[in-house]
Amino acid sequence: MLDLEKLKEQLEASIAPLGYSIYQIKYHVVEREKLLSIVVDHEEDIDLNRISEVSDIISNKLDELDPIEEAYTLDVSSLGAEKPLDIDKLDRYIGRKVNLHLSHPYLGENYLEGTLKEVNEKEVILSVQAKAKKKDYILNRLHIDKARLAV
């Protein structure tokens, strides 16, 4: 039986030196075709060249490990342009446009979108375009329950 957690660890060890991590790994059947789907993440944006690079590394490692006996298709993808963010690591995204979901509304809003200006232990400063002006909103970090990049 395929141990996906063990496989994830083995594959991640081969891509971690390049800054990649595995966000999700799944082995399933789609339209009678067996599919090993792997979603990777990286702090920097992942373009087609990077997906190709990491896919080659994973494919080579799978050839070495040979964990799946039957024929299958390998599908390597990224979280995309609007990937979810770890709230504890928001400081990595200063200067980037983000969408924040708040557990306690700020000025009546549960969702805010803008550019991260500053992040500290207690607060997040988000620069939001309000009509023709930009306004800085100072948000309680504990009130942010979800975050993602915004395009």
Side-chain angles (χ1 to χ4, degrees):
M1 185 173 194
L2 182 61
D3 183 346
L4 285 177
E5 278 304 310
K6 182 178 178 185
L7 182 59
K8 179 182 176 183
E9 289 174 15
Q10 293 170 319
L11 294 175
E12 207 159 39
S14 66
I15 62 173
L18 297 174
Y20 293 97
S21 62
I22 295 177
Y23 180 80
Q24 181 182 56
I25 185 169
K26 186 165 64 170
Y27 187 66
H28 53 121
V29 177
V30 176
E31 296 178 10
R32 295 184 289 216
E33 184 179 345
K34 292 178 176 97
L35 192 65
L36 179 62
S37 300
I38 300 174
V39 181
V40 296
D41 193 19
H42 195 281
E43 280 186 34
E44 296 177 21
D45 293 339
I46 301 176
D47 61 14
L48 195 54
N49 289 333
R50 285 180 168 223
I51 281 292
S52 178
E53 172 189 45
V54 76
S55 183
D56 287 345
I57 294 168
I58 288 172
S59 180
N60 290 336
K61 188 66 175 178
L62 286 168
D63 287 346
E64 176 187 317
L65 296 170
D66 198 21
I68 303 170
E69 292 180 18
E70 60 264 5
Y72 65 94
T73 299
L74 173 63
D75 176 38
V76 178
S77 61
S78 73
L79 287 169
E82 293 189 338
K83 72 178 184 175
L85 302 177
D86 183 340
I87 295 167
D88 294 330
K89 298 176 183 173
L90 282 178
D91 57 321
R92 294 180 180 176
Y93 299 94
I94 291 174
R96 303 280 304 266
K97 190 171 181 181
V98 297
N99 179 290
L100 303 177
H101 180 266
L102 308 173
S103 58
H104 296 76
Y106 183 86
L107 301 175
E109 299 291 330
N110 283 86
Y111 287 96
L112 292 173
E113 191 166 285
T115 303
L116 272 180
K117 281 188 78 175
E118 189 177 321
V119 177
N120 62 48
E121 290 178 22
K122 294 183 181 186
E123 298 174 334
V124 169
I125 300 176
L126 187 69
S127 179
V128 176
Q129 185 77 34
K131 297 186 182 178
K133 292 194 234 178
K134 282 192 177 187
K135 292 185 178 180
D136 288 349
Y137 292 170
I138 300 172
L139 308 170
N140 184 326
R141 191 170 176 157
L142 295 176
H143 294 173
I144 301 170
D145 63 357
K146 291 181 187 172
R148 67 173 171 78
L149 287 178
V151 177

